[in-house]
Amino acid sequence: MKKLLLLNAAVLAYLACFFAACKKEDKKEGQKEGMLPSCYVGYYGLGMKVKMENKPLAQGTYSGRWQYTTDEGDTIEGWYKNGIPCGSWRVSREDGTLVGTVAYGEDGHCQQADYYPDGMIKTVTTGIYKFKDGDAYSRIHEATTEYGLDGKPAVKDEKKIEGLGVSIKTKFKRDDKEMVCEAETQSYKDDTFRCRVFVYPEHAGRGERGKIEFIGHVDPKTRKFTEDSQKVFYGNYQLKAIPDSDGEDSFYLFFGDDLVPEIVMVPNPVRQR
């Protein structure tokens, strides 16, 4: 009986030590996930932002999965091998839609796919990657395919010289629902521009979604916009150019026939040129 009691005590002591070690290891792993465990980030375009929000550790030898949610609510997750990103990486918005994915091959090639806010493919880029000197990574573009809002490969006008490209993200409320408006504007040297707008609920759930492509040109002297075309793919939103207090046009997002705009898109993407 005495031996049995001693055996039970030994087993309990062992289990206590085991669970304590697991808890300690979980905390250690959680610290790795909460920090940037390397000076490299596996998703091209988010490296600098993630480093600004975290103090990256030295390259080190960390191997395993890592996950982090940015201040804007985007979640980035991927794998490391000896401090170097490997395998598959993905970035998703708070509502679960994909921002982009990256796949790293062992032969030094990678493929990155970026998505519009409504989940449709935006670009697919293949290239050769190399992590060095603490940068996100260097990539030699082998091929990039761009897609329009209709899901078809875009035909690039070689005569158009791109100017400034601006992306903004604004939040607003409609019918007591938290909404997000993302706008991507590309201006050109011939004073034309293209503005693409996406509206969606901040959290997964109901809310009036919208997708618009506004094409126009801006007078370089008066800074006023002229609409060439505006295509609404879905939803009941529209863009209007309205003069502000300085007499220059600004974009306003309207819903249906409402007289009061949902938001003014500040900073104005075209006026940043």
Side-chain angles (χ1 to χ4, degrees), residues 165-210:
V166 179
S167 297
I168 62 173
K169 189 175 182 179
T170 309
K171 296 182 181 181
F172 67 97
K173 274 192 175 182
R174 175 162 184 81
D175 298 332
D176 295 325
K177 295 182 177 66
E178 297 288 343
M179 304 295 292
V180 178
C181 174
E182 285 193 41
E184 302 176 355
T185 298
Q186 179 63 60
S187 60
Y188 301 93
K189 297 297 185 180
D190 61 356
D191 294 321
T192 60
F193 65 89
R194 179 193 67 208
C195 184
R196 291 169 169 172
V197 176
F198 301 84
V199 182
Y200 56 91
E202 181 179 13
H203 309 287
R206 296 182 178 180
E208 182 75 25
R209 297 175 179 266

Side-chain angles (χ1 to χ4, degrees), residues 103-122:
Y104 293 102
E106 295 183 357
D107 59 354
H109 287 78
C110 67
Q111 183 179 75
Q112 177 164 329
D114 298 294
Y115 298 84
Y116 290 113
D118 61 353
M120 295 187 68
I121 192 72
K122 181 180 179 182

